Amino acid sequence: MYQKKPGVFMADWWDADGNRHRKQFATSAAAREHEHRETALAHAERAGREMKLAARTGSVKTSGVKRSSKTETGTIEPAKGKLGVMIPGMGAVATTFVAGVEAIRKGLAKPIGSLTQMGTVRLGKRTDGRSPKVKEFVPLAGLDDLVFTGWDIFEDNMYEAASNAGVLDYRLLEQLKPFLSTITPRAAVFDHNYVKKIDGPNVKKGKTKMDLAEQLRDDIRDFGKTSGASRLITMWCGSTESYIEPTEAHQSVKSFEKALRENDEMIAPSMIYAYASLMEGVPFANGAPNLTVDLPVMLELSRKNEAPICGKDFKTGQTLMKTVLAPAFKARLLGLSGWYSTNILGNRDGEVLDDPGSFKTKEESKLGVLEHILQPGLYPELYGNMYHKVRINYYPPRGDNKEGWDNIDIFGWLGYPMQIKVDFLCRDSILAAPIVLDLVLFLDLAKRTSELRGLGIQEWLSFYFKSPMTPPGLYPEHDLFIQLMKLKNTLRHLKGEELITHLGLEYYD
Ligand SMILES: NC(=O)c1ccc[n+]([C@@H]2O[C@H](COP(=O)([O-])OP(=O)(O)OC[C@H]3O[C@@H](n4cnc5c(N)ncnc54)[C@H](O)[C@@H]3O)[C@@H](O)[C@H]2O)c1
């Protein structure tokens, strides 16, 4: 749903054949309701067709969990050659990720927190004893194959930027210095109006936003050539931009390109990177809460150019805890009257979020989680009156070592109240870096997989995001364990393994 102009709201949905439709309404509620109904009908129609097809070809059992060998391996291309990782925003998260990869390659540290490196997938029955590592089960790029570039408004190379970020110990950084110093930022596409708290000298110039997009496309092609990479990925680790809502300019490639040529102010820099990447057929992940690729134009481009997309906003500290605790309350039918979350952090991200426009973008991303997990519409007595508040306070002495407090007011049997307090003394970028690594490797896998590359949004990667992207009208799954099951079942499905439903009746036959 989007607002075309004041008082004109457009319902926007895809039918079962993949055709897009729009219809005009006078209120946003009416447009949203229409969109939800049509989307649900389309899903039902598609599911019905799949079942009919399956029954005809015998490829899926009517229980719906077994896959034929037709949809299996052979459709995933091998991970041959180097994988080029391009990062707009070479700050704390980006440098902690790249330095970490190099430290692991040198045998100086372990990839803790990375599902692709340390995780396993159970296959078959619990009694089968088959649990290969994720990286052995599906063909992922190896860490030795990763090569890097990035863009930033500051001229610091990755060693200098990592030193300034103050996340990693200087003794470790000194050992990585020769490598990190070679990664220097390309000039950024930047607009101070979108990130009010910072400004820097390393910025591209162009008459129109289309000119800037062309310059980014040149950078991408140049990196492809000079790095010798056979495949590329773009990973947005730039600052959080000011809050905006989609407009007419974001609704199709045609209107977006016109807006680029006309310097439309509703086109944020991150969208120009996304456009440039997708035009080059390069997958794009969004680690910040900005709209960026969460727009109809980007979905259209992504599907057309077979460049997978995913986002938004890495799920690292407080929201990670929220998406673990809230499902537990719902599972046990415990009520929630209030959830107050506050944070102090002192890194540059914290400074940027001190601006009300950037904070609003982050707030929207953090607030949606409880509504979706707890479903107050289905459980009005338990969650109909919950009060949810999120605060972020910039407090320089803490640097990257954020502290997130949660006060949770719940109620149980007969309405008796209880409280839970969470005090998470975390390290923001240490939690984010393994997510970046997994997303790089999984998006590259998606690009090499015939069944995934044309889908656009990679919803199976919701596991990594605070505000997972979905097609219009489909609500996102926020529950961490549903997200993990979705991810692992996607991998099983791609390899023709049986999906795991946890039914388990067969053990008692
Ligand atoms: N745990 C986490 O750290 C975490 C979790 C979720 C989301 N994020 C998001 O990830 C992003 C990066 O976080 P960070 O801690 O590394 O922040 P940071 O401030 O250290 O780094 C961001 C970098 O982006 C650069 N930048 C801003 N606009 C740019 C542009 N248009 N082009 C190129 N570079 C640009 C800045 O100069 C800065 O160096 C932020 O948006 C943050 O909200 C971080």
Side-chain angles (χ1 to χ4, degrees), residues 19-45:
N19 300 316
R20 191 169 171 202
H21 300 270
R22 271 165 280 198
K23 192 171 172 192
Q24 193 168 313
F25 289 87
T27 66
S28 60
R32 197 166 282 126
E33 197 190 317
H34 187 83
E35 191 176 287
H36 282 193
R37 202 176 44 242
E38 290 295 336
T39 306
L41 283 174
H43 283 302
E45 167 77 27

Side-chain angles (χ1 to χ4, degrees), residues 88-94 151-154 165 188-191 195 198 236-241 269-270 273 287-290 313-317 347-349 352-353 362 400 402 427-429 431-432 466:
M90 288 171 37
V93 170
W151 293 267
D152 207 289
I153 64 171
F154 299 110
V189 171
F190 183 71
D191 181 347
V195 189
I198 55 170
W236 176 267
C237 291
S239 308
T240 300
E241 296 172 331
S270 64
Y273 286 93
N290 331 310
D313 206 5
F314 301 130
K315 176 150 89 176
T316 48
N347 56 13
R348 191 181 282 151
D349 187 31
V352 166
L353 293 174
K362 193 59 128 186
D400 200 63
K402 179 158 91 182
R427 290 172 188 269
D428 245 10
S429 305
L431 292 169
K466 274 197 204 56

Side-chain angles (χ1 to χ4, degrees), residues 200-214:
N202 195 28
V203 174
K204 291 191 194 306
K205 291 193 175 47
K207 258 208 188 131
T208 69
K209 293 188 176 185
M210 185 58 103
D211 294 339
L212 297 172
E214 288 302 334

Side-chain angles (χ1 to χ4, degrees), residues 155-213:
E155 283 159 344
D156 299 337
N157 64 43
M158 277 233 166
Y159 169 75
E160 293 160 338
S163 306
N164 292 339
V167 177
L168 299 175
D169 186 86
Y170 83 95
R171 280 163 301 192
L172 177 64
L173 281 182
E174 284 312 303
Q175 295 181 73
L176 308 172
K177 185 173 178 179
F179 172 73
L180 292 176
S181 308
T182 61
I183 308 171
T184 50
R186 293 164 191 268
V189 171
F190 183 71
D191 181 347
H192 180 67
N193 289 323
Y194 274 92
V195 189
K196 296 242 164 56
K197 292 276 174 175
I198 55 170
D199 227 335
N202 195 28
V203 174
K204 291 191 194 306
K205 291 193 175 47
K207 258 208 188 131
T208 69
K209 293 188 176 185
M210 185 58 103
D211 294 339
L212 297 172

Side-chain angles (χ1 to χ4, degrees), residues 280 303 342 380 447 475 480:
E280 293 298 315
R303 292 169 78 113
T342 187
K447 173 84 183 173
Y475 72 81
L480 186 79

Side-chain angles (χ1 to χ4, degrees), residues 57-61 65-76 450-451 492-498:
T57 61
S59 64
V60 179
K61 275 191 170 182
V65 291
K66 259 213 158 158
R67 295 279 153 187
S68 81
S69 53
K70 264 204 171 152
T71 58
E72 294 158 16
T73 49
T75 59
I76 310 177
S450 57
E451 206 178 341
R492 291 183 187 108
H493 165 77
L494 294 178
K495 295 284 292 183
E497 289 284 341
E498 205 164 315

Side-chain angles (χ1 to χ4, degrees), residues 27 63 66 81 113 145 149 193 246 281 302 312 320 429 448 467 484:
T27 66
S63 69
K66 259 213 158 158
D145 296 328
T149 191
N193 289 323
S302 162
K312 352 187 252 287
L320 174 68
S429 305
R448 287 182 282 109
S467 189
L484 180 62

